[in-house]
């Protein structure tokens, strides 16, 4: 890694804008942050005097709580804005909201929004650092980073040539797009599978292999990323019934046997158990799903530290 690599003052909007060296810097910093989490202290003053605001226009448990915890563990002041009880309900636009937060002298804004590109727009109009916590079906960079960190922890720190499989609702998934961008940077062999109605029409242009049968996709897989069926985003009729989807594309115990013995199963959560993933797979020894949650805090600590404080 180049010694002069730095993310100080940078917005984190997507994976494409990060270099491999910058990603490796985030990984190594997250390792140090996890030591703080496990030390029993969970409180340092690295970001003392910094102000962080989380602005979520969509519901979230993992991402929002982990960013809040990350900021507090590092000694920053963290304020959560519930848009349902904010001036957004009175018609305030994103531009005005960001400018209001800027004039409160906050240092960073973590934004989740249903609108693609809204985080990039916020970064252009305001001075605070903007971290994209998910914008529509476009990008979720911190999720892709925590997924990579999780793979590093289980010994998969060289993805070149590894068969990485994404199964499920890819059309509406910002996680899928960010992980595809991430894994391509590291030379992985990426396969995707799902109903044709849940695949982007230009999916092959992303440099992935599209498998029509989930069994073909899972054969000899090193990593399986099972995506949540996002019923809240979808229009009706994209697949016949939940039972039919589970029968054709659900990752269950029998299908998991098609993967390599040391396969790692990921899921961004929350899981629809019995739909896209079986109860057995969700809790099996190959599943790193709960580890992902823990690593989400460490990676988000790293992002806040590197963008607000530097190396």
């Amino acid at each position: 890694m180049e010694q002069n690599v730095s993310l100080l003052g940078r917005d984190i909007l997507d994976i494409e804008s990060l270099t491999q060296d910058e990603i490796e810097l985030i990984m190594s910093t997250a390792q140090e942050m996890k030591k703080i989490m496990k030390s029993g202290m969970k409180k340092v003053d690295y970001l003392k005097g910094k102000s962080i605001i989380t602005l979520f226009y969509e519901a979230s448990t993992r991402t929002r709580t982990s960013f809040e915890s990350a900021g507090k563990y590092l000694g920053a002041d963290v304020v959560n804005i519930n848009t349902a009880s904010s001036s957004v309900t009175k018609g305030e636009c994103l531009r005005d909201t960001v400018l209001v937060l800027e004039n409160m002298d906050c240092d960073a804004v973590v934004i989740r929004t249903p609108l693609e590109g809204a985080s990039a727009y916020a970064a252009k109009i305001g001075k605070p650092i903007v971290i994209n916590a998910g914008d529509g079906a476009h990008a979720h960079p911190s999720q892709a980073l925590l997924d990579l960190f999780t793979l590093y922890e289980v010994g998969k720190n060289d993805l070149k040539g590894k068969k990485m499989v994404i199964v499920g609702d890819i059309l509406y998934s910002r996680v899928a797009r960010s992980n595809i961008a991430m894994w391509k940077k590291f030379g992985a062999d990426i396969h995707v599978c799902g109903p044709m109605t849940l695949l982007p029409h230009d999916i092959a242009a992303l440099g992935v292999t599209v498998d029509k049968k989930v069994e073909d996709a899972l054969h000899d897989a090193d990593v399986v990323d099972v995506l949540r069926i996002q019923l809240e985003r979808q229009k009706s009729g994209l697949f016949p019934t939940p039972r039919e989807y589970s029968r054709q594309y659900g990752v269950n115990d029998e299908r998991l046997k098609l993967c390599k013995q040391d396969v790692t199963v990921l899921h961004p959560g929350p899981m629809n158990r019995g739909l896209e993933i079986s109860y057995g797979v969700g809790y099996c020894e190959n599943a790193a799903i709960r580890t992902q949650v823990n690593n989400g805090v460490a990676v988000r600590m790293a992002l806040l530290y590197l963008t607000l404080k530097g190396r």
Side-chain angles (χ1 to χ4, degrees):
M1 185 192 302
E2 295 292 336
Q3 292 300 311
N4 60 355
V5 174
S6 175
L7 291 172
L8 183 62
R10 283 272 299 276
D11 300 308
I12 306 296
L13 303 176
D14 52 40
I15 294 300
E16 288 84 349
S17 60
L18 295 172
T19 67
Q20 285 194 37
D21 280 346
E22 289 168 340
I23 292 169
E24 294 292 357
L25 174 62
I26 295 168
M27 296 295 103
S28 61
T29 306
Q31 285 182 324
E32 298 304 313
M33 296 302 171
K34 194 158 186 181
K35 292 177 184 177
I36 295 172
M37 292 171 59
K38 300 302 181 182
S39 69
M41 181 172 58
K42 292 185 184 176
K43 192 73 172 181
V44 293
D45 60 359
Y46 294 168
L47 294 183
K48 185 178 181 180
K50 298 294 185 181
S51 173
I52 300 166
I53 293 178
T54 61
L55 178 63
F56 276 52
Y57 290 84
E58 291 183 312
S60 171
T61 298
R62 293 156 186 78
T63 304
R64 182 170 185 165
T65 305
S66 61
F67 267 115
E68 179 182 1
S69 298
K72 289 182 176 179
Y73 290 170
L74 292 170
D77 293 314
V78 184
V79 176
N80 294 315
I81 294 181
N82 181 358
T83 56
S85 58
S86 73
S87 293
V88 171
T89 60
K90 300 177 181 178
E92 184 172 79
C93 65
L94 176 62
R95 178 186 180 92
D96 287 344
T97 299
V98 171
L99 291 177
V100 166
L101 300 181
E102 178 184 319
N103 283 286
M104 292 180 179
D105 290 328
C106 79
D107 298 289
V109 182
V110 180
I111 301 180
R112 169 167 288 189
T113 167
L115 303 176
E116 286 87 353
S119 295
Y121 173 72
K124 288 181 180 179
I125 63 176
K127 293 180 181 178
I129 288 166
V130 172
I131 298 180
N132 181 6
D135 60 335
H138 172 235
H140 196 350
S142 64
Q143 180 69 46
L145 288 162
L146 75 87
D147 286 349
L148 182 66
F149 185 57
T150 301
L151 294 178
Y152 277 24
E153 282 205 325
V154 298
K156 293 184 170 77
N157 53 359
D158 182 5
L159 301 186
K160 189 173 183 179
K162 291 287 194 297
K163 185 175 182 181
M164 318 285 281
V165 180
I166 303 176
V167 180
D169 176 8
I170 295 165
L171 178 63
Y172 293 93
S173 177
R174 51 197 172 209
V175 174
R177 286 169 175 80
S178 289
N179 269 336
I180 289 171
M182 176 72 79
W183 297 345
K184 280 179 62 179
K185 284 180 182 287
F186 290 88
D189 175 23
I190 307 170
H191 290 243
V192 300
C193 183
M196 294 302 295
T197 51
L198 291 177
L199 294 177
H201 67 87
D202 59 346
I203 184 66
L206 297 179
V208 304
T209 299
V210 180
D211 291 312
K212 294 183 179 180
K213 295 183 64 177
V214 71
E215 290 81 5
D216 295 337
L218 295 177
H219 181 71
D220 279 343
D222 294 283
V223 176
V224 179
D225 192 10
V226 187
L227 299 177
R228 182 174 67 89
I229 298 300
Q230 301 185 62
L231 299 173
E232 76 277 10
R233 294 182 190 274
Q234 297 171 2
K235 299 176 182 177
S236 61
L238 293 179
F239 51 85
T241 64
R243 183 176 180 180
E244 181 69 10
Y245 177 89
S246 180
R247 189 183 70 81
Q248 291 195 39
Y249 298 100
V251 179
N252 55 34
D253 303 66
E254 284 302 309
R255 285 172 173 159
L256 193 66
K257 294 177 182 177
L258 299 170
C259 305
K260 289 184 178 176
Q261 190 171 358
D262 66 342
V263 65
T264 302
V265 179
L266 304 174
H267 193 298
M271 291 185 285
N272 294 307
R273 298 190 194 90
L275 181 54
E276 75 264 4
I277 189 169
S278 71
Y279 283 82
V281 173
Y283 289 108
C284 73
E285 63 181 16
N286 294 84
I289 299 167
R290 280 155 293 285
T291 304
Q292 287 175 273
V293 176
N294 188 256
N295 288 341
V297 180
V299 166
R300 285 153 183 153
M301 287 173 71
L303 288 175
L304 292 172
Y305 178 79
L306 290 170
T307 55
L308 289 172
K309 198 70 175 287
R311 294 181 62 87

